[in-house]
Amino acid sequence: MELVGHYRNGNYTVRLYDDGTKVRETDGDSFIPEFPESMDLKITDRCDMGCPFCHENSTPTGDHGDILDLPFLETLHPYTEIAIGGGNPLSHPDLVPFLEKLKSLNLIPNITVNQKHFLENLPLLHDLTDRKLIYGLGVSYVTNGREEALRKAMQEFPNAVLHVIAGIVDPDDLQSLAGHVLKLLVLGYKPFRRGSTLYNILGGTINSYVDALKDVLPEILRDHWFKAVSFDNLAIRQLDVKSLMTDEQWERFYMGDDGQYTMYIDAVRGEYAASSTSTTRYPLEPDIRTMFQTVRSSSEKPSTTGRRQQ
Ligand code: SF4
């Protein structure tokens, strides 16, 4: 793997590699950042998928964010990872100039698209990848019987990661995608906005899918169904991922609570917060460090104490 960049953040250094690996090293006993290492950035509320669990409440007529005029963009530290999402980010008319701007600032954009939009836009996504306008490519899985086409298309993108939601994905479908070639990110179920409405109606079914995934998780990891498996913090809690690791592995791999090294920005509403499900939100400000310290001081303290993490 090749080094993409490295930088100092507070009392530690970060090295980023082209396969998505991140290594932090500190001289002290903890990692105390001055600015976010990464952020989730919602650029649009528009999406034609109508998923009943959508925690962003995206709709086919949703608004786009004014992404070419974000007040804090120039204050981001080079190599900050920007996870661009929506809505359907490919629907934003300013997406390409925005990515060009991020590249000119030496930022690391990743993008997440729904599986349907992914398969419909392969030439565009190849172009964005080839021009290094995006690094990571998240593809949100939807069961629709097109698993073979999905697997084939994803293998064309070395940095593609399949996203699935605990409580929505059926482990049997996951098994049909297994085969050591894809990378997997498991997201927790977000009972927020439409996700809350659906949970009130189908909470029992959602919980049973979470339990089914939890049961099969040791097998997924042991038998290497996927090339790599990662989890967001919500999935770590919902699936009790910590119980599958030794204390040493946990210290090494856990990247910190939401809001400690990461933050969320909603460019449509002009708000920032610790995560996309935070109810405490603040209006955007011109300086990223100010926003980050607000988020960091209002969220939980980090539990990590190791000298090196990856
Ligand atoms: S594809 Fe994503 S953004 Fe679109 S409706 Fe579904 S969950 Fe929401």
Side-chain angles (χ1 to χ4, degrees), residues 47 49-51 53-54 58 86-88 114 194:
C47 181
M49 292 298 292
C51 304
F53 51 81
C54 183
S58 299
N88 171 16
N114 179 276
R194 288 213 293 269

Side-chain angles (χ1 to χ4, degrees), residues 6 24 38 41 54 111 120 159 163 199 217 219 250 277:
H6 62 97
R24 291 178 182 146
S38 64
L41 174 62
C54 183
I111 196 167
E120 287 171 353
N159 281 356
H163 291 197
Y199 193 80
L217 204 49
E219 189 183 334
W250 179 256
T277 54

Side-chain angles (χ1 to χ4, degrees), residues 20-51:
T21 300
K22 175 194 284 193
V23 179
R24 291 178 182 146
E25 278 185 284
T26 178
D27 307 328
D29 291 329
S30 62
F31 299 85
I32 305 171
E34 286 177 4
F35 50 85
E37 293 175 13
S38 64
M39 65 170 57
D40 288 333
L41 174 62
K42 179 171 82 165
I43 65 168
T44 181
D45 263 335
R46 192 165 301 184
C47 181
D48 58 6
M49 292 298 292
C51 304

Side-chain angles (χ1 to χ4, degrees), residues 70-174:
L70 290 174
F72 60 88
L73 216 56
E74 269 86 7
T75 69
L76 288 170
H77 194 279
Y79 305 117
T80 303
E81 298 149 86
I82 317 281
I84 298 168
N88 171 16
L90 300 180
S91 72
H92 199 301
D94 296 330
L95 176 66
V96 175
F98 179 61
L99 292 173
E100 287 167 347
K101 189 169 179 180
L102 297 184
K103 185 176 181 180
S104 74
L105 294 168
N106 271 328
L107 299 166
I108 311 284
N110 304 311
I111 196 167
T112 300
V113 297
N114 179 276
Q115 166 187 323
K116 177 172 178 285
H117 301 140
F118 168 66
L119 291 171
E120 287 171 353
N121 289 280
L122 293 174
L124 169 66
L125 291 164
H126 271 299
D127 182 53
L128 296 179
T129 307
D130 292 347
R131 292 167 61 197
K132 289 200 186 319
L133 290 177
I134 55 172
Y135 285 81
L137 173 61
V139 180
S140 305
Y141 174 62
V142 190
T143 308
N144 67 357
R146 296 194 64 196
E147 280 73 15
E148 196 44 47
L150 175 66
R151 189 210 303 253
K152 261 177 101 174
M154 284 191 69
Q155 285 178 254
E156 295 172 17
F157 296 86
N159 281 356
V161 179
L162 186 69
H163 291 197
V164 298
I165 301 173
I168 297 296
V169 70
D170 181 335
D172 288 341
D173 291 334
L174 218 44

